Amino acid sequence: MYEDRIRCAAVRGKITSAAQAALLIDNGMRVGASGFTRAGDAKAVPVALAERARSEGKPLRITLITGASLGHGVDSLLTDAGVLARRLPFQVDNTLRKAINRGDVMFVDQHLSETVEMLRAGQLGKLDVAIIEAIAITETGGIVPTTSVGNSASFAILADKVIVEINLAQPLALEGLHDIWIPGRRPHRDPLPVVRPSDRVGTTAIEIPPEKIAAIVITNKPDSPSTALPADEDTGLIAGHLIDFLQHEVSHGRMPSPLPPLQAGIGTIANAVLAGFADSPFEPFTIYSEVLQDSTFDLMDAGKVTFASGASITLTEKRQAQVFGDLARYRDRLVLRPQEVSNHPEVIRRLGLIALNTALEFDIYGNVNSTHVGGTHMMNGIGGSGDFARNASCAIFATKSIAKDGAISSVVPMVPHVDHNEHDVDIVVTEIGLADLRGLAPRERASLIIDNCVHPLYRDLLRDYYRDALRFGGQTPHVLREAFAWHARFQETGSMLPERNVAV
Amino acid sequence: MYEDRIRCAAVRGKITSAAQAALLIDNGMRVGASGFTRAGDAKAVPVALAERARSEGKPLRITLITGASLGHGVDSLLTDAGVLARRLPFQVDNTLRKAINRGDVMFVDQHLSETVEMLRAGQLGKLDVAIIEAIAITETGGIVPTTSVGNSASFAILADKVIVEINLAQPLALEGLHDIWIPGRRPHRDPLPVVRPSDRVGTTAIEIPPEKIAAIVITNKPDSPSTALPADEDTGLIAGHLIDFLQHEVSHGRMPSPLPPLQAGIGTIANAVLAGFADSPFEPFTIYSEVLQDSTFDLMDAGKVTFASGASITLTEKRQAQVFGDLARYRDRLVLRPQEVSNHPEVIRRLGLIALNTALEFDIYGNVNSTHVGGTHMMNGIGGSGDFARNASCAIFATKSIAKDGAISSVVPMVPHVDHNEHDVDIVVTEIGLADLRGLAPRERASLIIDNCVHPLYRDLLRDYYRDALRFGGQTPHVLREAFAWHARFQETGSMLPERNVAV
């Protein structure tokens, strides 16, 4: 049985149920699970673990490390069953988010390129068990991942025991798409040899000793589809501002043509803005990113993208059927890499990426909050945005200028949590307009951002703040006692607007 | 004349006075000048430029870009003469600092690895003139730098015209110490081939077409000496905490022995702490840093350091005489590189450096302010601390727990300016103790930092703040309206302590 999926005869006897496999996990263990932006996640064993925790009635609490977010409500199930003591490095789950913000789950929010680097160095403790979704196990015991690579390769290499979930719903046609390359131990490490997005430098399977495979579970369930919303008028305007800016850069020789490889972050804004490039005048370009969303395939279909490198493929339901049903159409133009390669500072800086990521809010000096609602409550996590923004040749952050029908301004006097600071942010853009911050001092940035990016509802209020701040002087003027007044007002009244403005 | 210093006969006729050379600089120009941490700075032409601006009585305002800080009060002279319209990427000058904080000079505070990357891409405009201090010009017109490389090579390559200051006070024995390697244009760039601190991958001189050399000025003045203060009891305690920590890491296999290469930031704390390693039990190790201070040579003399790579050598007066008077003793163990190589993310991550930098203050969640006094007023600049902290295998920030006799706590509820955020800070340490933040969630970090690092004067006050913050919940609890109360109180009363505590 499953000869095409489990080609290494020596491990075929390891097939078992998810419940049996979950018994390999004990209270207090560190577990690494596949899954990146809802793609290629382990779908059965974590569910069985939650069921066991519920039924056993004794403590079963673990540290769960993944590539990035999981699908199928797995984080909810684990949270509700009390299994998650510690979770890293990213999540997008509503139930888990609440537990994190209550302080019930310790959430370690990390740059996505760094988790396995720390794990490899022993800085996060020993990894007990890895759970890896695969399309197949090769003749030599190599694990062929599914729709994401994420941290799976290093998890399998570093864990004491490996559980493989063979997912029959994931097409075998994915085989050959992956490029598994793992850096050597420091300080004696060679350069990472990727110099073009299309370079293949590793193997197509995760090579580990087959005897480490402790259990194999058969599943048959597609990935959770992407929840990214379609483009709308505002994302169209943002895309328009960006395309104008990039054309201007090319025409002044500050960017090459074709453009440098593009990266776009997870979620609605970046996906919709990238999709807007289908109507752009640019020469066909490449993508070097972490997650490949619908927009990547839209741009391939439009002849705008010639090659895309990522750590995962996360698509809406409609696009899933179309892309995975006809993978031959795209496979020569795709590669999936470990996230420490897709997000590696070395490669990002070498290629000079254009990096497009979403801000929750930014301030008048160009500092960006990507993670903390109101400065205190975790939304999802920083993800790869820091890996890309720091090392890109042009780091762009996009957001709509207001949220909640105007009760929130996405441009504020001071962000109450800084994920990307003034040193790393080149361009901020909203549907109102774009501010090019490169080479500007903070006072210059403030004027430009207020003039170009702020919603009219808040523009005069920000001008007032900045004028008051100037009285205190400094490189980066602020009124310290008022810097978070907007956020505090939102906490207290449900709107950042003072009452007089709401009344008007 | 000067045949040993100016070996290219074709350029000997370019010798002129500093005043004449300064005439090559017009109002509105962008000028790149050598100089990194007061070492190897252009010492004559900038002074002549300031004199000309004073005497001419017409606008002469420029953008001045350097490697890092200059010596000899050059920034003061240029500021007082009104020459500086814009200054980047770093400074340590008291007069300039005041002008920056008044808003009279636009200061662009940058990661030191990024300035020439942006310049090369045209993102900072065209460079008109470069002023480079040199010990010699080679037969082929190559410029041999003095005690720093900094950004000098790229300035000379990118500028329309180059002024060379041949400094007779800088010993010819420095020749051969430099390793000039410049990355290719993106996106077609090869890996940076440095895989060990001692690797030499470039040339010993800056190779440019000799016809670009527009003027040569002869000077005879040593570098301004380092102003780093000697070690004291507190820096000794900090060094002790760090040595204990690193020993513990080695003994648990989380760090190799010998240690990974070390980096130490500019200034008293890092220099004094590094010097403390002379009495440590570690195997001899290497240094891969930006500035090599007295401590580097102390450690070489103590047999603790086998090789040191930097972008500059900045020594106290006593050490200057000793090291430059007997360079043969050290030269096989030294290399000076462009700062984009010494600070390159690619190399820092590859080598897995231990990075030790100074914090102005840090908060209970591990965010670090390195630059802005009171959140608004520029001190010096971020320098290379971000280049190193982001990519090191272990990023350490050190500071004394209090300043101004206790009127300031260096550990605060929330830093009002973030240069290094929670994602990039592994270890914080004061003379009170050390907190290892790796793998911890913010709530865990808060307890550890308050217990381990805070001065007793402020410990209960921070506990009170954190307890109040917990009532608001979240991943990173804060009382937004009170987050900067300590800083505001210092502005208003001269002390972060509430009056009741001062009275006790």
Side-chain angles (χ1 to χ4, degrees):
Chain A
M1 261 183 93
Y2 307 119
E3 279 79 1
D4 59 332
R5 297 280 189 163
I6 307 173
R7 298 169 207 151
C8 175
V11 300
R12 272 191 212 128
K14 301 288 178 68
I15 297 178
T16 185
S17 67
Q20 280 296 316
L23 291 172
L24 293 167
I25 299 166
D26 289 332
N27 183 43
M29 278 189 171
R30 268 180 220 93
V31 176
S34 66
F36 191 101
T37 57
R38 308 160 71 88
D41 49 343
K43 295 171 178 71
V45 177
V47 176
L49 190 69
E51 281 164 9
R52 182 178 137 214
R54 277 181 192 285
S55 64
E56 276 186 353
K58 62 179 186 184
L60 177 52
R61 287 174 67 71
I62 67 168
T63 294
L64 178 63
I65 315 177
T66 57
S69 57
L70 305 178
H72 298 292
V74 161
D75 268 322
S76 285
L77 290 173
L78 291 168
T79 303
D80 283 338
V83 173
L84 298 180
R86 188 176 301 273
R87 181 76 175 85
L88 54 157
F90 189 80
Q91 59 77 41
V92 297
D93 184 278
N94 199 36
T95 301
L96 172 55
R97 181 181 295 133
K98 284 178 187 154
I100 288 168
N101 287 322
R102 281 194 310 269
D104 292 343
V105 176
M106 294 294 104
F107 178 57
V108 189
D109 177 23
Q110 295 183 314
H111 297 302
L112 294 188
S113 79
E114 294 187 355
T115 306
V116 293
E117 192 82 271
M118 293 185 75
L119 207 52
R120 189 182 297 125
Q123 297 181 345
L124 299 174
K126 187 175 71 75
L127 195 67
D128 297 295
V129 176
I131 317 172
I132 311 296
E133 184 180 85
I135 47 171
I137 296 173
T138 66
E139 288 73 4
T140 56
I143 299 169
V144 186
T146 62
T147 44
S148 70
V149 179
N151 285 325
S152 298
S154 288
F155 287 162
I157 291 166
L158 296 169
D160 290 341
K161 294 177 182 175
V162 180
I163 302 171
V164 180
E165 291 193 2
I166 298 282
N167 186 348
L168 305 177
Q170 298 276 26
L172 266 176
L174 287 167
E175 191 164 1
L177 223 61
H178 313 93
D179 187 53
I180 311 296
W181 184 91
I182 301 294
R185 298 262 172 175
R186 301 183 291 195
H188 305 294
R189 179 182 287 181
D190 290 326
L192 204 172
V194 172
V195 297
R196 276 172 299 266
S198 57
D199 283 349
R200 291 184 162 277
V201 298
T203 56
T204 56
I206 302 164
E207 303 292 346
I208 57 164
E211 52 275 18
K212 274 183 63 172
I213 297 179
I216 299 173
V217 176
I218 308 295
T219 70
N220 194 342
K221 202 179 202 177
D223 287 338
S224 291
S226 161
T227 54
L229 301 171
D232 61 21
E233 194 185 332
D234 284 345
T235 61
L237 289 167
I238 294 173
H241 297 316
L242 273 178
I243 290 166
D244 287 350
F245 162 74
L246 293 172
Q247 276 190 274
H248 188 257
E249 289 298 291
V250 170
S251 69
H252 286 75
R254 287 191 292 267
M255 272 196 197
S257 177
L259 291 176
L262 250 71
Q263 174 264 340
I266 183 75
T268 296
I269 301 269
N271 181 55
V273 170
L274 193 59
F277 279 59
D279 301 321
S280 72
F282 301 117
E283 300 276 308
F285 54 87
T286 58
I287 286 179
Y288 193 85
S289 197
E290 49 184 22
V291 52
L292 306 179
Q293 302 182 81
D294 283 18
S295 52
T296 298
F297 297 89
D298 296 347
L299 290 169
M300 282 188 177
D301 290 349
K304 285 292 176 195
V305 160
T306 56
F307 197 91
S309 166
S312 76
I313 300 175
T314 300
L315 302 173
T316 56
E317 198 156 4
K318 193 175 152 194
R319 262 299 196 185
Q320 264 191 6
Q322 190 264 316
V323 169
F324 296 130
D326 187 15
L327 209 55
R329 185 167 160 198
Y330 301 104
R331 59 176 298 139
D332 293 345
R333 292 176 280 168
L334 286 176
V335 63
L336 292 182
R337 307 181 187 279
Q339 71 199 66
E340 72 173 322
V341 178
S342 65
N343 290 27
H344 204 291
E346 175 171 342
V347 181
I348 296 167
R349 177 97 169 226
R350 182 180 299 148
L351 297 177
L353 299 194
I354 300 173
L356 169 61
N357 290 284
T358 305
L360 207 55
E361 59 183 352
F362 58 85
D363 69 25
I364 55 172
Y365 298 113
N367 300 288
V368 170
N369 175 11
S370 302
T371 55
H372 281 67
V373 177
T376 52
H377 282 60
M378 176 55 58
M379 186 71 196
N380 301 328
I382 192 169
S385 57
D387 291 322
F388 289 101
R390 169 65 65 89
N391 296 294
S393 69
C394 187
I396 302 162
F397 283 90
T399 180
K400 298 185 183 189
S401 69
I402 52 171
K404 291 196 193 288
D405 292 329
I408 291 176
S409 172
S410 306
V411 192
V412 295
M414 181 191 261
V415 288
H417 185 89
V418 178
D419 290 294
H420 312 286
N421 63 30
E422 49 155 352
H423 309 288
D424 292 334
V425 178
D426 295 317
I427 308 289
V428 288
V429 56
T430 68
E431 81 286 2
I432 305 291
L434 177 148
D436 177 0
L437 310 178
R438 295 172 301 172
L440 299 186
R443 289 172 186 235
E444 297 169 304
R445 288 182 227 141
S447 303
L448 197 65
I449 287 173
I450 295 172
D451 287 347
N452 290 10
C453 304
V454 179
H455 193 278
L457 264 178
Y458 287 93
R459 202 178 286 146
D460 286 344
L461 292 169
L462 266 187
R463 285 219 174 93
D464 291 347
Y465 176 83
Y466 181 54
R467 193 189 51 233
D468 289 347
L470 283 173
R471 292 187 294 112
F472 288 84
Q475 162 86 346
T476 306
H478 271 299
V479 188
L480 286 189
R481 289 211 185 267
E482 295 295 320
F484 299 143
W486 296 19
H487 295 87
R489 195 183 298 135
F490 179 79
Q491 263 178 10
E492 291 151 14
T493 71
S495 175
M496 285 185 174
L497 287 169
E499 279 184 38
R500 59 185 161 84
N501 294 54
V502 178
V504 168
Chain B
M1 259 182 95
Y2 307 121
E3 278 79 1
D4 59 332
R5 297 279 189 165
I6 307 173
R7 298 169 208 149
C8 174
V11 301
R12 270 188 217 131
K14 302 288 178 68
I15 297 178
T16 186
S17 67
Q20 279 296 316
L23 290 173
L24 292 167
I25 298 166
D26 290 332
N27 185 43
M29 278 189 170
R30 269 180 217 94
V31 177
S34 67
F36 191 103
T37 55
R38 307 160 72 90
D41 51 344
K43 295 171 178 69
V45 178
V47 176
L49 190 68
E51 282 165 9
R52 182 178 137 212
R54 276 181 192 285
S55 64
E56 275 187 351
K58 62 179 184 184
L60 177 51
R61 288 174 67 71
I62 66 167
T63 293
L64 178 63
I65 315 177
T66 57
S69 57
L70 305 178
H72 297 291
V74 161
D75 269 321
S76 284
L77 292 172
L78 290 169
T79 302
D80 283 339
V83 173
L84 297 181
R86 188 176 299 275
R87 182 78 174 84
L88 53 158
F90 189 79
Q91 59 77 41
V92 297
D93 185 277
N94 200 37
T95 302
L96 173 55
R97 183 181 295 133
K98 285 178 187 155
I100 288 168
N101 287 322
R102 282 194 309 269
D104 291 344
V105 176
M106 293 295 102
F107 178 56
V108 189
D109 177 24
Q110 295 183 314
H111 297 303
L112 294 187
S113 78
E114 294 187 354
T115 306
V116 293
E117 193 80 273
M118 292 184 75
L119 207 53
R120 189 182 297 125
Q123 297 181 345
L124 298 175
K126 187 176 70 77
L127 196 68
D128 298 295
V129 176
I131 316 171
I132 311 295
E133 186 180 85
I135 46 170
I137 297 173
T138 67
E139 288 72 3
T140 57
I143 300 168
V144 186
T146 61
T147 44
S148 70
V149 179
N151 286 325
S152 298
S154 287
F155 288 163
I157 291 166
L158 296 170
D160 290 341
K161 295 177 181 176
V162 179
I163 302 171
V164 179
E165 291 192 2
I166 297 282
N167 187 348
L168 304 176
Q170 298 275 25
L172 267 175
L174 287 166
E175 192 166 2
L177 222 61
H178 312 93
D179 186 53
I180 312 294
W181 184 91
I182 301 294
R185 299 262 170 173
R186 302 183 288 194
H188 305 293
R189 179 181 287 181
D190 289 327
L192 205 172
V194 173
V195 298
R196 275 173 299 266
S198 57
D199 283 349
R200 291 184 162 276
V201 297
T203 57
T204 56
I206 302 165
E207 302 294 345
I208 57 164
E211 52 275 20
K212 274 183 64 173
I213 298 179
I216 299 172
V217 177
I218 308 295
T219 70
N220 194 341
K221 202 179 203 178
D223 287 337
S224 291
S226 161
T227 54
L229 301 171
D232 61 21
E233 193 185 335
D234 283 344
T235 61
L237 289 168
I238 294 172
H241 297 314
L242 273 178
I243 290 165
D244 288 349
F245 163 74
L246 293 172
Q247 277 190 275
H248 188 257
E249 290 297 291
V250 170
S251 69
H252 285 74
R254 287 190 294 265
M255 270 195 198
S257 176
L259 291 176
L262 250 71
Q263 173 265 341
I266 183 75
T268 296
I269 301 268
N271 181 55
V273 169
L274 194 59
F277 279 58
D279 301 320
S280 72
F282 302 116
E283 299 276 307
F285 54 87
T286 57
I287 286 178
Y288 193 85
S289 196
E290 50 184 22
V291 52
L292 306 179
Q293 302 182 81
D294 284 18
S295 52
T296 298
F297 297 88
D298 295 347
L299 290 169
M300 282 187 177
D301 291 348
K304 284 292 175 194
V305 160
T306 56
F307 196 92
S309 166
S312 76
I313 301 174
T314 300
L315 303 173
T316 56
E317 198 157 2
K318 192 174 156 197
R319 262 297 197 185
Q320 264 189 9
Q322 191 264 317
V323 169
F324 296 129
D326 188 15
L327 208 54
R329 185 168 160 199
Y330 301 104
R331 56 175 301 137
D332 293 345
R333 292 176 281 167
L334 285 176
V335 63
L336 292 181
R337 307 181 187 278
Q339 69 198 67
E340 71 174 323
V341 178
S342 65
N343 290 28
H344 205 291
E346 176 170 341
V347 181
I348 297 166
R349 177 98 169 227
R350 182 179 299 148
L351 296 176
L353 298 193
I354 299 172
L356 169 60
N357 290 284
T358 306
L360 206 57
E361 59 184 350
F362 58 86
D363 69 25
I364 56 172
Y365 298 113
N367 300 287
V368 170
N369 175 11
S370 302
T371 56
H372 281 67
V373 176
T376 53
H377 282 61
M378 177 55 57
M379 186 72 194
N380 301 327
I382 191 169
S385 57
D387 291 323
F388 289 101
R390 170 66 65 90
N391 295 295
S393 69
C394 187
I396 301 162
F397 284 90
T399 180
K400 297 186 183 188
S401 70
I402 51 171
K404 292 195 190 292
D405 291 329
I408 291 175
S409 172
S410 306
V411 193
V412 294
M414 181 192 261
V415 288
H417 185 90
V418 178
D419 290 295
H420 313 285
N421 62 30
E422 49 155 352
H423 309 287
D424 292 335
V425 179
D426 294 319
I427 307 290
V428 288
V429 57
T430 69
E431 81 286 2
I432 305 291
L434 177 148
D436 177 359
L437 310 178
R438 295 171 302 171
L440 299 186
R443 289 173 186 233
E444 295 169 305
R445 288 183 227 141
S447 302
L448 196 66
I449 287 173
I450 295 172
D451 287 348
N452 290 11
C453 304
V454 178
H455 193 277
L457 264 179
Y458 287 93
R459 201 177 287 145
D460 286 343
L461 292 169
L462 265 187
R463 287 218 174 92
D464 292 347
Y465 176 84
Y466 181 55
R467 194 188 52 235
D468 289 347
L470 283 173
R471 292 187 294 111
F472 288 83
Q475 161 85 347
T476 306
H478 271 298
V479 187
L480 286 188
R481 289 211 184 266
E482 295 295 320
F484 300 143
W486 294 20
H487 295 87
R489 196 184 296 135
F490 180 80
Q491 264 179 7
E492 291 151 12
T493 72
S495 174
M496 285 185 174
L497 287 170
E499 279 185 39
R500 60 185 159 83
N501 294 53
V502 178
V504 169

